[in-house]
Amino acid sequence: MKRPYSTGRLDVWPAFTDFVTSLSLLLVLLLASAPWFLASEILAPPPSSEAAGGESGQDGSSPVEVFNPAQELQRRQEELRRKLPSGVQEQRAGQLQRIIFADQAGRGILFETERSDLKAGFRARLRPLRQTLVGFLTQGYLERIEVEGHSDLVPFRGGTEDNWSLSARRAVSVARFLMVDPEDRRGGTIPPWLVTAKGYGEYRPAGFSGIPSVQDQHRIPDGYGGSQYHYVVERSRSESARARNRRIEVLLVYRWPGEDEAR
């Protein structure tokens, strides 16, 4: 017996309509979930700095640190600072590092009065700096070394020499010691064409930098029978201030390190 409404042939229309209905529901579900997926991608947090700053090795090792020339330069400067004796001042500005050896009131720890010979104690304080600079130059870290001599404003008791020429001679003495240590000739040398020596006399007292103003350039009596610029006198009123002015400064000019030099 035939079923009602049956034609005796296979009727495909219901199957087709079921397929279209299922496909429509699937598209509706996909469209409904699209805004959430896009929002999660847009609002996702950025990758961490550790992930962005290095690449993992093929064997799953820790990320490789990206080379930073400024950090490598600071590491070298800090390495030198740690080797300096106590009481020696240090200043930095980019590729420059300044080492300051100042005198002490009533002691004369750098030089004898009106002389340019290095005292034994001063040579001992210079020796760690010299040894470090020899190593730095061997590794190509430094471009040049500038030695600056400074003095107080007290004039000589006799003779024709002045503080300016004395400060220059003292700077030369320090430069020569940095190039070759007479007591340790096997400790390496520094080429003389990389070292300069300058004398500034009393005209760059401690704490002063730049060019003196017009007011500072007015000459006034200095209390020692002569006359000096105003800014020199103002920074030399006490013995402790004059001792700070009697100093040697070593200016180190570094070059930017390459990636192959990093430890």
Side-chain angles (χ1 to χ4, degrees):
M1 181 176 178
K2 296 182 178 181
R3 294 180 180 178
Y5 309 109
S6 175
T7 60
R9 296 177 300 176
L10 179 62
D11 194 351
V12 299
W13 177 253
F16 176 75
T17 55
D18 291 340
F19 172 76
V20 172
T21 302
S22 300
L23 183 61
S24 300
L25 291 175
L26 180 60
L27 291 175
V28 170
L29 291 176
L30 290 175
L31 293 175
S33 61
W36 174 85
F37 176 78
L38 293 176
S40 63
E41 288 295 316
I42 295 174
L43 299 177
S48 63
S49 58
E50 296 180 357
E55 299 178 358
S56 299
Q58 295 180 357
D59 56 351
S61 59
S62 58
V64 179
E65 184 178 355
V66 177
F67 176 71
N68 188 322
Q71 291 181 354
E72 177 66 14
L73 179 61
Q74 292 176 1
R75 182 193 65 77
R76 296 174 185 174
Q77 295 173 333
E78 183 62 25
E79 176 184 348
L80 185 144
R81 186 198 64 81
R82 290 195 300 267
K83 296 180 180 180
L84 295 175
S86 61
V88 178
Q89 301 179 39
E90 179 253 2
Q91 300 173 354
R92 304 178 196 176
Q95 293 173 257
L96 306 179
Q97 186 175 22
R98 185 177 294 274
I99 312 301
I100 304 173
F101 296 87
D103 206 348
Q104 296 181 10
R107 295 188 58 185
I109 62 175
L110 306 183
F111 305 92
E112 295 288 353
T113 302
E114 300 184 1
R115 296 184 61 88
S116 60
D117 301 330
L118 306 182
K119 279 192 167 184
F122 188 24
R123 289 197 301 270
R125 294 168 68 82
L126 282 171
R127 194 162 282 123
L129 173 63
R130 198 196 90 83
Q131 294 170 348
T132 305
L133 295 183
V134 170
F136 278 7
L137 282 171
T138 302
Q139 301 171 68
Y141 290 177
L142 288 172
E143 287 189 355
R144 67 180 186 274
I145 303 170
E146 298 180 5
V147 182
E148 301 176 357
H150 302 267
S151 71
D152 57 26
L153 51 67
V154 181
F156 288 115
R157 293 185 294 269
T160 58
E161 191 175 27
D162 57 12
N163 286 322
W164 201 354
S165 57
L166 175 63
S167 66
R169 288 198 293 111
R170 288 178 170 179
V172 169
S173 296
V174 174
R176 285 176 174 168
F177 178 82
L178 293 179
M179 289 187 286
V180 178
D181 184 353
E183 301 175 10
D184 184 21
R185 293 185 178 275
R186 293 181 299 177
T189 60
I190 296 177
W193 55 84
L194 297 179
V195 185
T196 60
K198 304 177 181 179
Y200 291 101
E202 66 268 38
Y203 297 107
R204 290 195 181 183
F208 177 83
S209 61
I211 301 174
S213 64
V214 175
Q215 179 182 1
D216 284 338
Q217 293 182 26
H218 291 166
R219 289 183 177 273
I220 60 174
D222 62 7
Y224 293 99
S227 61
Q228 297 290 345
Y229 287 121
H230 180 264
Y231 70 93
V232 174
V233 177
E234 288 299 318
R235 290 167 176 81
S236 305
R237 292 197 175 277
S238 64
E239 174 54 31
S240 59
R242 290 190 291 273
R244 288 192 298 269
N245 295 340
R246 299 190 296 267
R247 67 196 190 280
I248 290 291
E249 299 190 6
V250 181
L251 178 63
L252 309 176
V253 182
Y254 292 84
R255 68 175 183 83
W256 285 111
E259 186 170 0
D260 57 334
E261 301 171 7
R263 291 181 179 177

